[in-house]
Amino acid sequence: MILILIKLLILPLLSPLCIGIIRKIDAFMQNRRGASVIQPYFDLWKLFHKDEVISPDASWIFRATPYIIFAISLMLPLGIPLLSQVESWGFFSDFLVVVYLLALMTFFLALAGIDTGSMFGGFGASREMTLSALTEAVLVFSLLPIAIISQTSNLILMATTTSSLPPITYFPIFIAFIGFFIALMAETGRIPFDNPSTHLELTMIHEAMIIEYSGKRLALIEWTAANKFLFFVLLGANIFFPYGLSTTTNLLDLLIAVGVVAMKALLLIGAIGIIESSIAKYRLFRLPDLLLTGLILGIISLIATNI
Amino acid sequence: MELLFPIAIEIFCISAVLSFILQKVKSVSHFTSSGLSLIGSAFMLVFAGYILLTHTVINVVLPTSFPLFTLSFHVDGLAAFFIFVIALIALPATLYGISYLKPYYTQYNTGVFGFFYNLFLLSLFLVVTSYNGLYFLFVWELMSLSSFFLVIFEQNHPSTIKAGFIYFVMTHVATGCISFAFILLYLATGSFDFSVIKSHAELIPMTIKSIAIICFIVGFGTKAGIIPFHIWLPKAHSAAPSHVSALMSGVMIKMGIFMFFRMFLDVLTPTPWLGFTILFLGALSSILGVLYALSEHDSKRLLAYHSIENIGIILLGLGGGLVFLTLNYPAFAIISIIAGLYHTINHAIFKSLLFLSAGSVISQTHTRNIEEYGGLIKKMPYTALFFLIGAIAITGLPPFNGFVSEWLTFQGLFKGIAFEGMLIKAAFIFAGVCLAFTGGLAAACFVKAFGITFLARPRSVESQHAKESSFPMVLSMGFLAALCLVFSIGAPYVIAQLRVLVQALGSFTRHTSAMVPAHEKLTDLAALNFNTMGLLLGFTISAAVVYALVYLVSHRQKTVIGSIWECGYTEITPRMEITATGFSRTLILIFKGIFRPTKQVHVEYVDADMRYAPTKTVTLGISDIYENNMYYPLVKLFHRISIQVKKIQSGNINAYLLYIFLTLIGLLLVARYYL
């Protein structure tokens, strides 16, 4: 019970912090001092207390989307292994369910982008759907090798099996992880796919789609994006590197697990920050090449599971 | 209960005749025939439900005075399942037709339409229950012809006649292939009766069986619309009235799928290559179907291409099942085949829902071009909501029914990927990649279809003045939308029922003793505790909590209606919105190897001296590689042969008498020496 509560609360409570950390890393790489790591919390608080402007053409899709996608993002972590291997949440743990819930969020967000009748929103939606159409396959095929190795599509059982494998069999999982990392960068809109802090309308993808949002709805959208980022980090850290997960529900074991998982997540966030600071954004028509590379890595990993 | 079937058949016949007799009084004839077909479909629904729940098998053989031609009816679980699907879609489609056809009274003969409509429904029910090759060909032809007359209903448009013609030719080439296959089976087994062929299935020589199976794939595949035999489908489905499109796309193309199931899983034994072929065709149809849908901006052609995509997904289930069967893994095969059947009913539901909603929009705007829609969510809120539900369902997103069957199909493919053998693994990886891309691209396509149609500002005068459709139309769409949810929440029950049905098929009953116990480690069926209800419940609670908290924090803040940001322009016109062509152009350029995109630029210099820039028209499109590379060469070849044949056609009666005489002599010689 307490574990479920932690799972429900960890995303909304810690996701702004993650965004703060990654911004700090970006600033460090650019020789700036940067804002404090808790600045995103203040930003959200500020946005919640602003009035909002809504396009006269917008329908209920535009108004409801922030609530819909935020609610879905809260449900995402229920199925993934967070601290221990003994948590089970049945149907929510299926990795296809997780992938499809993510797709549902993108679906509504893209509709909201078109809904305002703004050309930026429309083109943002077009680009976002183009990328997510390709990313979905990469995500499925980067998680699939582990599902095949562990003979289950349940994420928690997948983590349990991978943690008990001998290190020699770890090679395909690592290849799959590179594919997953590419999908992560695409889904969470990091460089080289998208620039979360861009101010030029023509280069924006995610930011163009949500350009008409303001006030509390913008706050929800930003918060959802942060939730999604943290979710991907936790998924990557606990499925591909499932070490340190507690095997019991003892308080002590769980506390150790908290420390280990936090370390893994921080390492992954650091890696993301350093990589995105050291490469340039790709041209839109070069992104499919990168995504297909991710897919091929997934397939190589699938074939390597035989050996 | 069993009597419901003949009663319903008679009702359809009476309804067809009445509609024809009363054609002078259009409203009376239309109401009577629609009412009767509603009653007939309801009877069929109850009948199918009864058979499915009691697992009875009905077999009635009525001999006729012709040898080999017997009226043989056979209703087992598979047939009952398809009767259920037909009746389930026929009910809302007919109800919808009652008000959809009203504007047509002045222009077209709805009495004749009612005649063919009832004949069409009748033939659908007869096709799935027939159990004799010749009788089957008779009702199959009845189905093709009645649907042909429904397609050319709006005969005043020249494009409709052309679409009808292509449909007519394609469907008869298909029937030719099927007839040939049945004749081959007759030569091998000595009977057209399915039960006789079934009992002799293992004795049919390999070569004859292979040729027959290829003919079946071409013949039934054409009806199902698999690529590359699909060219009639987008044309015919967009030409027909919308509720007929719903029936054709939701139900009629499934008759091809039904015969795949009947022939390959029940009557015949699969050849080793069959499963891989079906798997390959399914993967190809699913990904190419969705890609072509992306490039369409005719709302009904777009949906028609999605039918091709979904037929592909069904075939992925069937093909996987066949591969597992030939490898002797029946437990895996069951999962894949259930996935195929489940997707069949799901696709019938959401595709007819989408066609009906598209028809509702067309009846208001009088155009199928989605570039002229826009902003309809405010004018037609119910149609928009139901279209959205259909769009989420067809994209395979939770919580609607498309998700369940797509998930099952994936599970089936994953089992194949887990195999050790490299060929099997590679085939299933290919299928899995295609399915994964299909899901993502379908989402992009339906964001386009829904967004451009219903959101933002109206782009034409008709769209500005659109109103919500009449109550019967909304009711029938609502019924189908509710079914989308029912078939998602009731998934465990449906899967359990389908399992019983699949296990009764010939391929599974044939070798019960020789079965190898399969390794059911990767999510066995018992573990498929589909919990869409939990998903919905979790979502509702979490959305409610979020809404309450946000309200608590920022209920004092104002919401202002204000103009959007367009870089400082103040006069926002509908021309500034994104178009359907623009939306999908990025993806079309990414897949340009498949699409062969075309771009035509017309520059008009009418008033070039007065203006700085001349008027430019850019037409973006894609070239039809099937018609250009496959069908036109064929047509040209036939044309050339015809010119040669013309030489012996002098028009002189004496010459023809000579031909008849020579043929007779030839036949007599053949009879003398070979028989």
Side-chain angles (χ1 to χ4, degrees):
Chain A
M1 191 62 209
I2 193 94
L3 278 172
I4 292 169
L5 212 60
I6 293 174
K7 278 183 167 182
L8 273 175
L9 292 178
I10 188 160
L11 276 200
L13 289 185
L14 291 184
S15 65
L17 181 69
C18 288
I19 297 295
I21 293 171
I22 200 151
R23 281 189 191 154
K24 195 82 179 170
I25 296 171
D26 284 352
F28 175 77
M29 295 291 288
Q30 294 161 6
N31 277 331
R32 291 187 287 122
R33 193 181 297 146
S36 147
V37 287
I38 53 168
Q39 184 61 35
Y41 292 98
F42 294 118
D43 290 347
L44 287 178
W45 188 251
K46 179 188 74 187
L47 281 173
F48 273 117
H49 291 91
K50 283 195 171 248
D51 295 348
E52 59 178 329
V53 188
I54 290 184
S55 156
D57 301 311
S59 66
W60 63 266
I61 300 265
F62 181 83
R63 288 162 198 266
T65 293
Y67 297 101
I68 293 174
I69 62 170
F70 191 80
I72 297 175
S73 80
L74 288 187
M75 291 175 8
L76 284 176
L78 282 178
I80 66 163
L82 186 63
L83 297 177
S84 69
Q85 302 171 347
V86 287
E87 322 144 36
S88 181
W89 200 256
F91 188 56
F92 284 83
S93 299
D94 192 273
F95 79 87
L96 284 176
V97 174
V98 169
V99 172
Y100 276 91
L101 283 178
L102 287 166
L104 189 62
M105 287 165 67
T106 319
F107 186 83
F108 271 101
L109 206 53
L111 285 184
I114 300 178
D115 198 12
T116 54
S118 144
M119 55 179 130
F120 295 124
F123 273 99
S126 163
R127 290 169 188 167
E128 176 89 1
M129 288 319 291
T130 303
L131 283 190
S132 94
L134 304 173
T135 314
E136 198 180 306
V138 183
L139 199 55
V140 169
F141 273 80
S142 63
L143 290 168
L144 190 56
I146 303 182
I148 298 293
I149 291 173
S150 52
Q151 301 207 322
T152 170
S153 58
N154 183 310
L155 284 167
I156 291 168
L157 296 179
M158 271 157 71
T160 316
T161 322
T162 0
S163 60
S164 58
L165 285 176
I168 190 80
T169 55
Y170 199 73
F171 177 64
I173 296 180
F174 189 74
I175 297 179
F177 174 72
I178 302 174
F180 175 82
F181 194 81
I182 293 174
L184 181 154
M185 300 295 254
E187 279 277 341
T188 55
R190 317 304 304 182
I191 296 174
F193 291 92
D194 189 8
N195 188 350
S197 56
T198 183
H199 294 289
L200 188 63
E201 291 97 334
L202 290 174
T203 62
M204 298 189 298
I205 299 177
H206 183 259
E207 298 297 313
M209 203 163 47
I210 62 168
I211 198 166
E212 286 303 318
Y213 275 110
S214 53
K216 58 175 185 275
R217 290 195 166 82
L218 179 62
L220 278 178
I221 297 242
E222 299 272 344
W223 206 346
T224 312
N227 283 351
K228 198 170 157 185
F229 178 68
L230 178 57
F231 170 74
F232 265 95
V233 168
L234 288 176
L235 188 67
N238 279 349
I239 295 291
F240 292 91
F241 308 100
Y243 307 107
L245 290 183
S246 144
T247 44
T248 60
T249 45
N250 288 342
L251 198 58
L252 188 66
D253 286 349
L254 285 179
L255 279 178
I256 296 170
V258 167
V260 177
V261 171
M263 278 306 292
K264 286 193 295 186
L266 278 178
L267 274 174
L268 197 53
I269 291 173
I272 294 168
I274 290 167
I275 286 175
E276 81 163 346
S277 302
S278 44
I279 48 175
K281 191 177 170 306
Y282 275 23
R283 216 163 66 86
L284 184 66
F285 285 101
R286 278 189 62 199
L287 294 180
D289 304 345
L290 191 56
L291 286 171
L292 285 183
T293 311
L295 181 72
I296 304 278
L297 286 172
I299 293 172
I300 291 174
S301 160
L302 273 177
I303 293 168
T305 52
N306 262 19
I307 301 157
Chain B
M1 273 305 212
E2 285 89 346
L3 278 178
L4 278 175
F5 184 76
I7 292 172
I9 294 285
E10 278 158 25
I11 289 176
F12 284 119
C13 292
I14 292 168
S15 168
V17 174
L18 271 183
S19 173
F20 193 73
I21 293 172
L22 296 172
Q23 57 175 295
K24 292 282 175 227
V25 203
K26 283 180 176 162
S27 54
V28 176
S29 104
H30 187 218
F31 269 109
T32 330
S33 71
S34 304
L36 283 174
S37 18
L38 276 179
I39 297 171
S41 309
F43 278 14
M44 283 293 187
L45 195 66
V46 175
F47 169 74
Y50 166 76
I51 299 287
L52 282 174
L53 290 182
T54 54
H55 310 303
T56 41
V57 176
I58 301 175
N59 205 356
V60 180
V61 180
L62 305 171
T64 61
S65 49
F66 300 100
L68 302 172
F69 185 89
T70 49
L71 300 179
S72 96
F73 299 92
H74 180 85
V75 186
D76 57 355
L78 187 68
F81 174 73
F82 277 87
I83 294 177
F84 187 78
V85 175
I86 301 167
L88 200 64
I89 306 305
L91 277 176
T94 313
L95 181 66
Y96 181 93
I98 291 178
S99 64
Y100 184 77
L101 275 189
K102 266 184 195 160
Y104 290 81
Y105 283 173
T106 51
Q107 276 186 34
Y108 297 105
N109 190 338
T110 45
V112 175
F113 176 86
F115 174 73
F116 284 117
Y117 185 80
N118 278 290
L119 221 53
F120 177 53
L121 287 183
L122 176 72
S123 62
L124 287 173
F125 288 117
L126 291 182
V127 161
V128 292
T129 50
S130 69
Y131 219 55
N132 174 291
L134 284 182
Y135 166 61
F136 167 79
L137 284 171
F138 179 75
V139 287
W140 181 262
E141 191 57 27
L142 187 67
M143 175 180 85
S144 299
L145 286 180
S146 53
S147 58
F148 165 71
F149 284 109
L150 296 180
V151 166
I152 59 164
F153 173 61
E154 291 180 44
Q155 52 203 272
N156 296 356
H157 301 287
S159 63
T160 306
I161 299 293
K162 194 185 173 213
F165 176 71
I166 291 177
Y167 173 50
F168 191 80
V169 172
M170 290 294 286
T171 195
H172 282 92
V173 171
T175 313
C177 287
I178 300 166
S179 313
F180 183 67
F182 276 125
I183 290 170
L184 280 182
L185 291 181
Y186 169 72
L187 290 177
T189 61
S191 174
F192 280 109
D193 220 52
F194 288 178
S195 48
V196 179
I197 300 174
K198 186 175 173 180
S199 53
H200 291 68
E202 281 162 331
L203 305 173
I204 302 172
M206 198 59 184
T207 43
I208 290 188
K209 194 164 78 174
S210 300
I211 298 171
I213 283 179
I214 291 171
C215 287
F216 280 140
I217 291 179
V218 175
F220 296 129
T222 307
K223 190 54 105 183
I226 57 177
I227 287 177
F229 313 119
H230 67 285
I231 58 157
W232 65 272
L233 198 147
K235 295 187 170 73
H237 286 204
S238 56
S242 292
H243 62 298
V244 177
S245 313
L247 270 177
M248 285 178 73
S249 203
V251 178
M252 189 192 74
I253 60 171
K254 305 290 164 33
M255 295 302 110
I257 295 295
F258 166 76
M259 286 310 286
F260 275 172
F261 278 100
R262 174 64 88 206
M263 280 296 148
F264 301 155
L265 287 174
D266 193 32
V267 175
L268 299 174
T269 47
T271 52
W273 48 267
L274 176 64
F276 291 103
T277 313
I278 299 274
L279 202 63
F280 180 71
L281 284 175
L284 211 62
S285 293
S286 62
I287 186 115
L288 291 180
V290 72
L291 281 174
Y292 289 122
L294 259 173
S295 71
E296 277 300 333
H297 45 78
D298 174 320
S299 60
K300 282 168 81 176
R301 283 177 65 94
L302 183 147
L303 292 178
Y305 273 117
H306 273 288
S307 296
I308 298 174
E309 172 221 329
N310 280 284
I311 287 292
I313 297 176
I314 295 170
L315 290 186
L316 286 180
L318 174 66
L322 285 167
V323 172
F324 293 135
L325 263 180
T326 40
L327 294 172
N328 225 350
Y329 282 87
F332 289 178
I334 284 178
I335 296 178
S336 287
I337 293 166
I338 286 176
L341 280 175
Y342 205 148
H343 202 71
T344 306
I345 189 165
N346 284 346
H347 176 249
I349 293 169
F350 53 63
K351 183 46 67 65
S352 40
L353 169 60
L354 287 167
F355 263 117
L356 295 188
S357 338
S360 162
V361 172
I362 293 168
S363 70
Q364 291 297 316
T365 57
H366 308 292
T367 173
R368 299 202 306 255
N369 186 354
I370 61 174
E371 309 282 26
E372 292 181 25
Y373 299 160
L376 290 172
I377 193 169
K378 291 182 214 78
K379 323 274 183 198
M380 317 175 76
Y382 293 110
T383 305
L385 177 68
F386 297 142
F387 191 92
L388 181 66
I389 290 176
I392 296 177
I394 196 172
T395 316
L397 295 176
F400 295 108
N401 57 354
F403 170 65
V404 184
S405 44
E406 213 163 304
W407 189 86
L408 277 171
T409 312
F410 260 124
Q411 291 294 337
L413 295 180
F414 290 169
K415 289 186 173 60
I417 292 175
F419 269 83
E420 294 282 321
M422 265 305 162
L423 177 70
I424 301 164
K425 203 181 179 82
F428 278 96
I429 287 179
F430 174 71
V433 169
C434 284
L435 184 57
F437 274 129
T438 302
L441 291 168
C445 191
F446 273 96
V447 166
K448 176 188 100 173
F450 182 80
I452 305 290
T453 307
F454 291 102
L455 302 180
R457 289 178 294 277
R459 281 183 292 267
S460 67
V461 184
E462 282 84 4
S463 306
Q464 272 168 11
H465 298 118
K467 281 185 214 63
E468 185 56 89
S469 296
S470 59
F471 179 69
M473 287 163 81
V474 172
L475 182 69
S476 42
M477 288 186 273
F479 173 70
L480 288 168
L483 282 182
C484 281
L485 196 58
V486 168
F487 274 86
S488 168
I489 291 173
Y493 181 73
V494 178
I495 292 171
Q497 288 297 327
L498 285 179
R499 178 173 209 173
V500 178
L501 183 167
V502 170
Q503 277 170 334
L505 289 177
S507 294
F508 290 93
T509 50
R510 220 167 256 139
H511 324 260
T512 29
S513 54
M515 270 195 186
V516 181
H519 319 285
E520 284 188 273
K521 267 189 186 169
L522 195 76
T523 52
D524 58 343
L525 273 183
L528 300 180
N529 49 351
F530 238 91
N531 198 351
T532 325
M533 200 66 195
L535 217 59
L536 267 178
L537 204 67
F539 173 74
T540 318
I541 294 170
S542 120
V545 170
V546 171
Y547 187 81
L549 285 178
V550 170
Y551 181 80
L552 210 65
V553 175
S554 48
H555 66 279
R556 275 195 221 96
Q557 272 59 47
K558 279 181 297 194
T559 302
V560 193
I561 303 294
S563 180
I564 51 173
W565 166 244
E566 299 278 13
C567 294
Y569 285 102
T570 46
E571 284 175 36
I572 311 285
T573 69
R575 292 195 58 187
M576 291 174 163
E577 293 162 12
I578 189 165
T579 60
T581 315
F583 190 91
S584 50
R585 195 67 183 173
T586 320
L587 272 168
I588 288 177
L589 288 178
I590 288 172
F591 289 96
K592 61 172 177 264
I594 296 171
F595 280 122
R596 312 267 168 213
T598 57
K599 182 177 174 184
Q600 297 166 324
V601 183
H602 301 288
V603 186
E604 289 176 28
Y605 289 101
V606 185
D607 50 351
D609 49 335
M610 287 151 70
R611 288 191 184 195
Y612 173 65
T615 320
K616 267 190 183 179
T617 316
V618 179
T619 314
L620 299 175
I622 60 163
S623 50
D624 196 327
I625 51 172
Y626 304 96
E627 288 193 3
N628 292 344
N629 301 335
M630 187 171 154
Y631 288 96
Y632 282 140
L634 266 179
V635 169
K636 270 184 200 154
L637 184 71
F638 273 112
H639 193 71
R640 217 173 293 151
I641 294 171
S642 313
I643 288 172
Q644 297 299 320
V645 169
K646 221 168 85 179
K647 285 175 186 164
I648 60 164
Q649 303 279 2
S650 60
N652 185 344
I653 293 178
N654 289 340
Y656 287 106
L657 286 175
L658 180 69
Y659 297 152
I660 293 171
F661 178 69
L662 288 178
T663 315
L664 206 61
I665 297 285
L667 282 177
L668 283 174
L669 285 176
V670 169
R672 172 67 182 79
Y673 290 107
Y674 290 99
L675 298 181

